[in-house]
Amino acid sequence: MEQHLQDLYEVLSKVDGYVYPNEIELNWSILIVLYPYITGLVAGAFILASLERIFKIRILKPTYGIALLTAFSFMLVATMPLVSHLGKPLRAYEIMITPHSSSAMAIFGFVYLWYLMVVLFLEIWFDYRRDMVIWAGETTGFKRFMYRLLSLWTTDISPKSVALDNRIGYIVTVIGVPSAFLLHGYVGFIFGSIKANPWWSTVLMPVIFLFSAMVSGIALVMGIYIILSKIRRQVIDMNCLDTIARYLFYILIIDFTLEGLDQIHRIYVAEESFEALHKLVFGQLFFTLFIVQGFFGTILPLLTLGTFQFYKPRAEIRKVIYLVLSVLILIGIFFMRWNVVIGGQLFSKSFYGYTSYKVGMIGAEGYLMAAIWLIVPFLILSFLLWLLPPWKKIETDHGNLEE
Amino acid sequence: MKKEKTKLSRRDFFSAGTALAGGVAITSVLAGYDGLLFAAVTPNAKGIWYGIGIDINKCIGCGKCANACKLENNVPQAPFYFRSWVEQYTIKNDGSIVVESPNGGIDGFKQSVPDKDIFKSFFVPKMCNHCAKSPCTQVCPVGATFETEEGIVLVDEKYCIGCRYCVQACPYGCRYIHPDKGTVDKCTLCFHRLKKGLKPACFEICPTKARIFGDLNDPGSEINYFLKNHNCMVIKPNLNTGSKLFYNALNPEVR
Amino acid sequence: MPQHIKRLIIAFSLFLALFLVLRQVLRPESFGELGHFRAKAIPENAMRPMHYTVTDSCTKCHGGIRSEKDKGFHKNLKCEVCHGPGLKHATYAGQFKNGALPDSLKLYKPGERKDCIICHQLNAARIKIQFDTINTTMIHQIDPVKHNPGDPDTKEAFKCIDCHSPHQP
C-alpha cells in the first residue's frame, strides 16, 4: 500500500502536461496486456490446427496435435491474469451469475467456457478417446487413472465408434473456427467499444486483434514444434514447417495491412485526439511501437518470409531462422498488445498530458506475476504432451473422413 | 421527411449491428442527444430527475468543494483519488493552453503563468456528470454500478469486482479504485445527504454559489432557471453520454 | 446411442446443472428488482455517514458570531467553509462545559495566511472587478508576497487576522 502510493507520487512528479487526477494511476497493467496476448495465442494455435482438419492441409499433420494441446494449455490460464488483477478476485464468479447484457466484458465468461469446454476440450477428447482407452490398458498407476478418468471409463473402440468420434470431432472443429474468431474478435471489441478512449475506439480493433492473434498463435506453434523436435531428437518435417511459414506470411500481410490502414485512417481524418496521439506514438510508444512491434515483430519477419517464397536457403539455416522469427513475432505481438493496452492509458482523456507506467518486479501486478502466467501454460503443455503425446497416437487421417 | 427516413434506417442498422456484436445496450443510440436540448426533454418524465449546473464565471478556485467532498465521503487524502476537483485553465497569448490542478485544487492555486502572457484564465470544477446514457454503467460486467430513477449514477460497493472497466469507459476521469476497498468509487451526488433532504457537500460549501443542482423535470427549479438564463454546455457533447452536468460559460478548450 | 457419447452428455449435463444451481444460490436476493443491479445498494448508499452538518445548526450556540458574520462580506459563507465538517461537533459538543471539549470534537480554527489566501490570493482566473452583469462574483485579492509580508524588524510574518476579523473582514 505504502509502496503503491510512493510509486504514484513518482508518476505524479513525471506527469507531462495535465492529466485528470484519477488518471495518474494506470488502471490496466501488464496483466491486462497478457490477457489478450494469451487468448490470442489460443485462437491462433486453434486456427492452425483447423487448417489441417477442416481445410485438409495434410502437410500440417505433424503440428495438429501440438497446436491443439498448446491452445488448450494457454486457454486454461487465459482467465488467470484477469482474475488476479481484480480488486476483489473472490467476487469473480459474479460475472457468470449476473452477467450484464450491455457489457462487452460480461460475456467473456461464457465465450470462454464455450470455447474451452465445447470446442477445445471436445475436439481433444474425441481425437484422443480411442488412444486413451488403449493407453489405459498399457499403463499403470497415475497415468492409467488419468486415462480412465479422461475417457470417462469408456471402453468402446470399435471402428464404428471411432468413426463416429472422428465425425463429431470434425463438426466440433467446424464450430470451433467461428468460435475462435468470436473469442478473439470479441476481446478486441472490449477495447474497440470504449468511446472515451480514441486510441482504442476503432471498428477495426476486433479484426486487428483477430489477425494478430492468428499470427502469434501460428508463430508459437511453429516455435514449439521446432524446439520439441530438437528435444525429442526427431527430424523436423521441413515441408510442414515451410507451409506453416507460408501461412504465417499471408496472415502477417493481412495483419500489417489492417494495422497500417488503422494508422493511415487516424492520420488522414486527424480528429480532435490526433495531436495527443501523435505525440504519444512518437514519444513514449516510439520504441515499443516502431522498433519492437513494427520493425522486429512485423517488417523483419515479413521481409524474411517473403524472401523465402522465392529463395530458400538450406534446411538447417531455415530452421534456425524460423525459430528466431517465431520468437521475434511473439515478442512483437506481445508489444502490440502492450501498445494497445498500456498505450491507451498513457495519455489523458483530456488530451492535455501524459502519465507514465513503470512495471514493478514484485507484487500482484509486477512482472514476476506476469512471467508466472506466461510460464504456467508451458508447464501445462509439458504435462499434456507427457500424458497425451500426439506422436504416439494411432494415425487417423482426418482427410479421409469426408472423401 | 427524407432525413427522418435515413435516421430511422440508420437506427435500425445500429440496433441490429450492436445486437449482433454481443448484445450491447442500444439505449445510447436510440435517444437523440444535443447537449443542452437534452435537458429540456428529460428521458424520465416522472418524479425527480437531477441535473447539475456549474457557473464557471462564479468559481474562484478555492477548492473548498474538492476538500469538502473528500471529508464528507471519506475519499483517501492522497492526490490520486478524487470524486470532485477543480482545474485552472490558462489560455496564453501564444495560443497554448496550460491546465493545472495541484492536489485537485484543495491547497489553492498558485498562478504559474505571468499576467502578461495570459489571454484568459478560468477555473473549472469537475465532478461526475451523472450521464443519462452513462458509458460507465453500460460496461459494468456484473451490474455493480447503475443509474437510479432520479438519474444518479451509483456504485454497489458490496458487489463491485474491481475490474476497472468503468474507469476506462468514463470519458471524464471521474472514477477511481479505492485503494483500501479494491472497489470503484465515484461521486454519488452525496446520495446520503439528498435522501435526508440536504444538499450535497460541495454545493453546501461553495462560497460563491457557483454550483447549483435540482430537478430537471420541475419547470420552476433552480437548475431550469439556470439553464434557461445562461449559455450552458456540457463537456465532450460529441460523445453522446447524456451528461447532466451543465456549465455556464464553458470554453470549448475544456475537456 | 453409443456408451461414450451418453457418458459425455451426462458429464456435461452435470456441469450445466451445477452451474444453474450455483447461479440460483449465489444470485443476491434483491438483484434485478429495479434493474440489473442489487436494489438494496440504493438504501446502502443512502445510509452512509454524514460529516457536514445541516445549514444553520451552528446558530444554536454560536449565534453571536453568526450575526456578526452576517453583517460583513462573508455573510454568504457557511461556517463550515472555513471551519470544516462540523456534524460531530454540532451533535456532541453541547454536552461539554466550557474548555472541556475533547480534541476530537474541536473544529479547525483557521488563522494562518495560507487559510485566507486559498480564496484571496491574486490569481488571473479570479474575477477582480465587477465589469458587467454576467460576472457577479467580486472577491478581494492580495499578493501575499507584497501585502504586509511581515514585521520589518523581527521578520515574523503577519497573520491576516492580525488586521482583519475573519467574521467581519
Side-chain angles (χ1 to χ4, degrees), chain A residues 1 9 18 20-22 27-28 87-88 91 94 98 100-103 106 190 195-196 272 345 349-350 352, chain B residues 23 25 79 82 87 137-141 157 159-165 167-168 170 173 181 236 239 253 255:
Chain A
M1 191 59 237
Y9 276 108
Y18 173 72
Y20 297 137
N22 293 334
N27 275 292
W28 282 354
K88 291 277 176 198
R91 294 182 187 172
E94 288 170 8
T98 56
H100 191 197
S101 58
S102 73
S103 167
I190 288 183
K195 65 181 169 188
E272 188 188 17
Q345 301 172 80
K349 285 173 195 154
S350 68
Y352 282 122
Chain B
F82 289 90
E87 296 167 354
T137 58
Q138 183 188 29
V139 301
C140 177
E157 269 183 18
Y159 208 60
C160 172
I161 59 175
C163 71
R164 303 165 182 235
Y165 200 16
V167 184
Q168 305 290 1
C170 175
K181 296 176 184 165
K236 300 187 184 180
L239 289 182
E253 286 81 8
R255 291 193 288 243

Side-chain angles (χ1 to χ4, degrees), chain A residues 199 266-267 273-286 289-290 347 354:
Chain A
W199 184 238
R266 275 177 204 284
I267 295 165
S273 57
F274 179 67
E275 278 73 19
L277 295 182
H278 184 78
K279 203 179 153 192
L280 172 78
V281 163
F282 286 97
Q284 291 194 63
L285 284 190
F286 186 81
L289 184 66
F290 289 106
F347 66 95
Y354 304 85

Side-chain angles (χ1 to χ4, degrees), chain B residues 124-164:
Chain B
V124 184
K126 293 271 187 89
M127 62 184 286
C128 172
N129 289 231
H130 291 284
C131 306
K133 297 181 262 179
S134 54
C136 56
T137 58
Q138 183 188 29
V139 301
C140 177
V142 299
T145 181
F146 54 90
E147 283 167 57
T148 67
E149 281 179 318
E150 305 105 314
I152 300 173
V153 178
L154 294 180
V155 172
D156 183 349
E157 269 183 18
K158 289 190 183 157
Y159 208 60
C160 172
I161 59 175
C163 71
R164 303 165 182 235

Side-chain angles (χ1 to χ4, degrees), chain A residues 62 86-87 94 105 107 153 156 171 214 261 281 286 314 332 335:
Chain A
L86 290 181
E94 288 170 8
M105 193 184 272
I107 320 301
W153 286 275
D156 182 8
I171 295 168
M214 289 198 233
L261 176 63
V281 163
F286 186 81
R314 281 192 298 122
F335 278 99

Side-chain angles (χ1 to χ4, degrees), chain A residues 89-373:
Chain A
L90 294 178
R91 294 182 187 172
Y93 70 89
E94 288 170 8
I95 208 166
M96 307 292 296
I97 304 298
T98 56
H100 191 197
S101 58
S102 73
S103 167
M105 193 184 272
I107 320 301
F108 177 72
F110 296 97
V111 174
Y112 173 81
L113 271 188
W114 167 264
Y115 196 72
L116 180 75
M117 300 301 291
V118 179
V119 176
L120 284 177
F121 178 76
L122 280 189
E123 178 160 355
I124 295 176
W125 196 78
F126 281 114
D127 197 40
Y128 274 93
R129 199 187 60 83
R130 174 179 53 177
D131 304 278
M132 287 194 291
V133 173
I134 296 172
W135 292 338
E138 293 168 352
T139 50
T140 52
F142 174 70
K143 248 187 165 174
R144 183 189 169 97
F145 172 74
M146 284 306 287
Y147 291 136
R148 288 241 164 120
L149 173 75
L150 287 175
S151 59
L152 298 173
W153 286 275
T154 55
T155 48
D156 182 8
I157 47 168
S158 61
K160 205 180 140 200
S161 71
V162 171
L164 181 69
D165 284 359
N166 209 355
R167 181 166 293 271
I168 299 178
Y170 178 80
I171 295 168
V172 169
T173 318
V174 172
I175 301 169
V177 173
S179 301
F181 276 55
L182 175 73
L183 174 76
H184 211 67
Y186 159 76
V187 173
F189 188 78
I190 288 183
F191 292 94
S193 61
I194 295 295
K195 65 181 169 188
N197 191 321
W199 184 238
W200 292 346
S201 172
T202 153
V203 284
L204 280 181
M205 195 59 97
V207 197
I208 290 176
F209 262 53
L210 187 59
F211 279 94
S212 56
M214 289 198 233
V215 170
S216 66
I218 294 174
L220 177 69
V221 177
M222 187 163 88
I224 289 178
Y225 177 56
I226 297 173
I227 293 171
L228 211 57
S229 306
K230 262 270 168 308
I231 295 173
R232 293 181 52 233
R233 297 171 200 282
Q234 294 287 311
V235 182
I236 295 179
D237 182 343
M238 281 315 281
N239 269 337
C240 171
L241 212 52
D242 284 335
T243 312
I244 298 180
R246 203 172 67 235
Y247 281 104
L248 191 56
F249 176 61
Y250 296 153
I251 295 170
L252 206 52
I253 290 177
I254 301 176
D255 183 40
F256 183 60
T257 312
L258 284 170
E259 289 201 42
L261 176 63
D262 183 34
Q263 295 309 330
I264 289 167
H265 180 82
R266 275 177 204 284
I267 295 165
Y268 195 81
V269 298
E271 287 175 342
E272 188 188 17
S273 57
F274 179 67
E275 278 73 19
L277 295 182
H278 184 78
K279 203 179 153 192
L280 172 78
V281 163
F282 286 97
Q284 291 194 63
L285 284 190
F286 186 81
F287 180 72
T288 50
L289 184 66
F290 289 106
I291 311 290
V292 184
Q293 182 195 339
F295 182 73
F296 286 108
T298 313
I299 294 183
L300 196 60
L302 257 184
L303 290 179
T304 320
L305 291 172
T307 313
F308 282 9
Q309 306 306 312
F310 307 106
Y311 161 74
K312 283 195 169 61
R314 281 192 298 122
E316 280 309 307
I317 299 175
R318 281 215 306 283
K319 248 185 272 179
V320 176
I321 292 180
Y322 283 146
L323 186 61
V324 172
L325 286 186
S326 103
V327 172
L328 279 183
I329 288 174
L330 282 173
I331 295 174
I333 299 290
F334 176 82
F335 278 99
M336 181 263 170
R337 313 292 189 222
W338 175 282
N339 292 329
V340 170
V341 177
I342 304 293
Q345 301 172 80
L346 289 177
F347 66 95
S348 167
K349 285 173 195 154
S350 68
F351 308 144
Y352 282 122
Y354 304 85
T355 178
S356 56
Y357 176 52
K358 197 187 92 192
V359 207
M361 187 172 77
I362 45 169
E365 300 192 11
Y367 57 74
L368 278 185
M369 192 70 167
I372 287 173
W373 295 131

Side-chain angles (χ1 to χ4, degrees), chain A residues 34-110:
Chain A
L34 280 187
Y35 156 63
Y37 187 56
I38 292 179
T39 46
L41 294 174
V42 175
F46 180 80
I47 283 167
L48 181 63
S50 43
L51 280 178
E52 195 268 348
R53 185 123 197 202
I54 303 183
F55 302 103
K56 304 192 178 59
I57 300 156
R58 262 170 257 156
I59 207 163
L60 295 177
K61 183 82 196 165
T63 54
Y64 171 75
I66 299 173
L68 265 191
L69 294 180
T70 304
F72 193 70
S73 323
F74 276 85
M75 194 61 177
L76 283 177
V77 179
T79 50
M80 294 321 291
L82 275 188
V83 173
S84 55
H85 177 263
L86 290 181
K88 291 277 176 198
L90 294 178
R91 294 182 187 172
Y93 70 89
E94 288 170 8
I95 208 166
M96 307 292 296
I97 304 298
T98 56
H100 191 197
S101 58
S102 73
S103 167
M105 193 184 272
I107 320 301
F108 177 72
F110 296 97

